[in-house]
Amino acid sequence: MPQITPNLWFDTQSVEAAEFYCSVFPNSRIRNISYYTEAGPRPAGTVLTVDFVLDGKEFTAINGGPQFTFDEAISFLITCGNQEEIDYYWTKLSEGGEEGPCGWVKDKFGLSWQVVPTGMAELMSDPDQSRATRAMQAMLGMKKIDMAALQAAADQG
């Protein structure tokens, strides 16, 4: 079975980004750094790629140049088991970045993350449409997800 590894395109910040992500997620580390050679297209000896692991998931970051940047069409979902985890990831990833609506945050490198509680998808698709609607309305008014407020909104009625 082939392995799928997200490859994140940076201009020149691949090492800084990998170090940052490894500091945020437990059980993470940089595995390898490769460098451009005389063949180019960037100066020989500058960082080409960084292979790293975030809590068991493989990633690669490439210093490919300024041609491409991140947008919200791609994001990484972090499913958190409690409010403490939501608060932790939200705080860490938003430092120098940008808070968005409904649990979305853009980190200082422009990469988008969704920081959500376990069970949120089930709550939004609750067979009781009124519960799902109340939960959705509550979520739409939030930036960082407040699990207690989301559950209270769903249970109201």
Side-chain angles (χ1 to χ4, degrees):
M1 183 91 167
Q3 179 174 328
I4 298 171
T5 303
N7 190 330
L8 307 173
W9 183 292
F10 295 90
D11 180 6
T12 60
Q13 312 91 336
S14 64
V15 172
E16 181 186 352
E19 288 172 345
F20 172 69
Y21 299 138
C22 287
S23 77
V24 171
F25 293 91
N27 307 311
S28 300
R29 65 186 173 85
I30 292 175
R31 288 191 322 106
N32 186 57
I33 299 176
S34 67
Y35 300 89
Y36 281 97
T37 66
E38 295 297 330
R42 291 195 145 181
T46 60
V47 173
L48 171 62
T49 62
V50 180
D51 298 316
F52 59 104
V53 177
L54 297 182
D55 202 17
K57 307 263 189 278
E58 303 258 348
F59 288 80
T60 295
I62 185 170
N63 282 336
Q67 302 90 322
F68 303 110
T69 57
F70 298 117
D71 67 31
E72 291 79 1
I74 296 291
S75 64
F76 292 104
L77 180 70
I78 305 169
T79 305
C80 301
N82 56 47
Q83 191 65 46
E84 183 180 358
E85 286 182 1
I86 290 172
D87 295 346
Y88 169 81
Y89 287 109
W90 185 269
T91 299
K92 291 291 189 182
L93 294 169
S94 66
E95 289 173 2
E98 180 182 326
E99 295 181 356
C102 307
W104 286 67
V105 63
K106 193 180 293 188
D107 69 31
K108 62 185 171 183
F109 302 101
L111 187 59
S112 292
W113 301 82
Q114 296 176 62
V115 184
V116 301
T118 300
M120 188 161 135
E122 292 81 2
L123 188 59
M124 297 298 161
S125 61
D126 192 300
D128 179 343
Q129 285 297 302
S130 60
R131 280 180 52 79
T133 297
R134 289 190 301 269
M136 177 66 79
Q137 287 171 335
M139 183 197 64
L140 291 172
M142 297 177 183
K143 285 193 176 219
K144 177 177 71 174
I145 300 296
D146 179 329
M147 287 177 65
L150 196 63
Q151 191 65 49
D155 292 341
Q156 187 180 40

